Amino acid sequence: MLLSVSTTRRARRGMVREWRLHVLSIFSLAVAFVCLGAALLVVTNLHAVELRWAHAGRASVYLKDGATQDEVDSLRLALARVPGVTAVRYVSSGDARSEFGQTQLPRPGEPGVTTAPLAALPVEAFPASIEIDVAADMPDAELADMVAKMKTLPTVDDVETYQSWTERLSRLVRGGVAASALLAIVVFAAVLAVVGSTMRMALQRRRTEVEVLKLVGATDGFVKKPFVVEGSVQGALGALGALVLLAALFLLVRGRLDGELASLVGVSPSFLPWPVAAGMVGLGALLGATAALASLRKLVAV
């Protein structure tokens, strides 16, 4: 316990004495961790969107042009009796063109956005469809089986379950994870280089102090411990500073895009989960301590 208190006191004294050097090191580490944190933030939100759209909860059954009203009504009634189907709605070609041709409500001070080119298309350009809402707990296998059976019906032209979008998002998330891994390697190298250089400079500045400690019989471990603590603190503060900066930028951007993005993808943007944020701080501390210890491996020679 006494040794721990002594080590902490010596590390604090060294950081206060050379605060400019340590502040510069922490700033450099924060820049590196901002890159890693931003990549993790993007991957986290993409994964949330992927989970949201992994089960879209709806399907569109596009009907052939020659489908009669009796055939459409029979198909609607049959679909309504399928377990897991919560709602069935018929959308005619005219209704589909009307939905695409509606003018979006403008925001205060902004002009409205119209889809006039789509509204100008003939009714035949918009296929009639039956929109199906399915329960959130409906297994994908049952949905795929229902889709396969509907595609064999003579009145059905095609069935869209929007799974292709989920597959695209999955590939995008995998690419983001790969990019984050590469950034993590870059961050690891940056932490080792920055903290190692800082500790070597601090060691040179305290050369006399270290020599005196060695003359009075201090062990290598006793001399190294304050430097290791300083390196750990640098790494942790660098990661923490990056998280604070990312949180400020996230709140600024979220205030402008939250409503639009949520309505577009069905998921509100979220910040890094606390285990990920805590892991970044812990990783920074571990890397800082490792870099400091590695940079002092030749202390005996000093």
Side-chain angles (χ1 to χ4, degrees):
M1 182 65 180
L2 292 176
L3 181 60
S4 176
V5 173
S6 174
T7 301
T8 304
R9 185 183 300 113
R10 290 162 55 206
R12 183 173 63 250
R13 184 172 63 248
M15 294 187 70
V16 171
R17 184 190 309 165
E18 299 164 356
W19 65 270
R20 292 183 180 86
L21 178 63
H22 290 284
V23 168
L24 181 60
S25 175
I26 292 172
F27 178 79
S28 301
L29 295 177
V31 173
F33 275 105
V34 162
C35 298
L36 178 61
L40 292 175
L41 186 60
V42 172
V43 171
T44 298
N45 284 275
L46 283 178
H47 183 60
V49 174
E50 180 189 12
L51 293 178
R52 167 63 179 83
W53 287 96
H55 188 78
R58 59 187 294 262
S60 299
V61 182
Y62 295 104
L63 305 174
K64 293 183 177 180
D65 294 336
T68 64
Q69 188 61 44
D70 292 338
E71 292 174 332
V72 173
D73 291 339
S74 299
L75 181 58
R76 288 174 57 192
L77 292 175
L79 289 173
R81 291 194 293 267
V82 174
V85 175
T86 58
V88 179
R89 181 171 64 95
Y90 172 68
V91 180
S92 64
S93 299
D95 294 336
R97 189 180 72 167
S98 298
E99 291 180 2
F100 277 102
Q102 288 179 349
T103 301
Q104 298 179 3
L105 294 176
R107 292 183 173 184
E110 296 182 1
V113 180
T114 182
T115 54
L118 292 177
L121 293 175
V123 176
E124 293 77 10
F126 299 87
S129 65
I130 296 179
E131 301 297 324
I132 305 173
D133 293 337
V134 298
D137 57 351
M138 185 177 186
D140 292 338
E142 292 185 9
L143 179 61
D145 183 62
M146 182 180 68
V147 169
K149 291 179 180 179
M150 286 191 295
K151 287 184 177 180
T152 62
L153 298 177
T155 58
V156 175
D157 185 30
D158 193 15
V159 181
E160 175 61 64
T161 59
Y162 308 99
Q163 292 299 317
S164 59
W165 293 100
T166 302
E167 294 174 358
R168 294 178 184 178
L169 281 173
S170 298
R171 291 195 295 269
L172 189 60
V173 170
R174 289 194 293 270
V177 171
S180 299
L182 292 176
L183 279 174
I185 295 175
V186 174
V187 170
F188 295 165
V191 172
L192 293 176
V194 171
V195 175
S197 299
T198 303
M199 290 300 101
R200 283 191 291 269
M201 293 178 63
L203 179 61
Q204 290 298 325
R205 294 185 178 185
R206 302 182 212 169
R207 186 183 186 92
T208 303
E209 176 185 345
V210 171
E211 290 178 348
V212 171
L213 289 174
K214 296 288 291 183
L215 288 174
V216 298
T219 62
D220 292 338
F222 182 83
V223 177
K224 290 179 181 180
K225 284 181 180 179
F227 295 96
V228 175
V229 172
E230 292 175 29
S232 178
V233 172
Q234 286 181 36
L237 290 181
L240 184 60
L243 289 173
V244 172
L245 179 59
L246 280 175
L249 294 176
F250 174 79
L251 293 176
L252 179 63
V253 174
R254 181 179 180 178
R256 297 175 179 270
L257 300 179
D258 193 3
E260 296 178 359
L261 190 61
S263 61
L264 179 64
V265 301
V267 177
S268 298
S270 59
F271 194 61
L272 292 173
W274 72 264
V276 176
M280 281 185 60
V281 176
L283 179 63
L286 179 61
L287 287 176
T290 303
L293 189 60
S295 66
L296 300 173
R297 64 185 181 277
K298 296 182 180 180
L299 180 61
V300 176
V302 177

